[in-house]
Amino acid sequence: MCMGNDASRAEVYGKYADDLVRFATGLVGPSDSPDVVSSAMVNVLWSRGWDDIRDPRAYLYRAVLNEAHHHHRSAMKRRTAEERAMTSGVVQVSESRPDVLEAVGRLSVKQRAVVFLVYWEDLTMAETARRLGLSEGTVHRNLARAEGRLGRMLYV
């Protein structure tokens, strides 16, 4: 599949943008998802290797997953720095999310990605694997770990 010209790049973005934002929302939340997708798209669509990509959809999902990892690491570093800088002892942040969403938010980004696609998007393991560019075994392993972790967080 040749993706060389600007029109085809715009078409690919237009074709998958809404799905990618929905996917990113499951990974990083609604307020940061457009930024994560934008960063991933800029990095991917204008890279030199774009012309050689055989499955643009899987590649874009993987790029959003990688950008979500980067976003998560940056957020953790920022939070740690802010906590160190605070002079007052304790600051409570109230969460209005249900317990399940809070527990899902504590999963690794890859586990959240698999949970999102399997349970929220209702994809099969094979479809999830194709979407993320992973093997079915990796998807199955991450889903099993996520389910185990969610069970411990919610029912213990």
Side-chain angles (χ1 to χ4, degrees), residues 4-60:
N5 65 43
D6 291 344
S8 63
R9 291 173 192 234
E11 290 168 11
V12 169
Y13 176 74
K15 184 174 181 180
Y16 300 118
D18 291 340
D19 291 338
L20 292 170
V21 170
R22 211 170 34 255
F23 176 59
T25 299
L27 302 177
V28 298
S31 62
D32 294 327
S33 60
D35 293 336
V36 165
V37 172
S38 295
S39 294
M41 295 304 290
V42 166
N43 291 334
V44 167
L45 293 178
W46 303 114
S47 68
R48 291 182 183 185
W50 181 248
D51 294 338
D52 300 325
I53 296 169
R54 293 178 189 244
D55 185 352
R57 182 180 186 202
Y59 194 82
L60 293 173

Side-chain angles (χ1 to χ4, degrees), residues 94-106 120 150 153-154:
S94 64
E95 292 287 336
S96 60
R97 298 184 307 173
D99 290 346
V100 173
L101 290 178
E102 184 177 337
V104 169
R106 288 194 249 151
W120 274 276
L150 288 170
M153 286 188 273
L154 295 169

Side-chain angles (χ1 to χ4, degrees), residues 79-118:
R79 226 173 304 163
T80 301
E82 289 170 356
E83 287 172 3
R84 270 189 261 138
M86 290 188 324
T87 56
S88 63
V90 177
V91 175
Q92 294 292 331
V93 178
S94 64
E95 292 287 336
S96 60
R97 298 184 307 173
D99 290 346
V100 173
L101 290 178
E102 184 177 337
V104 169
R106 288 194 249 151
L107 297 173
S108 73
V109 174
K110 193 176 281 187
Q111 289 172 350
R112 272 190 308 233
V114 171
V115 166
F116 175 81
L117 292 173
V118 170

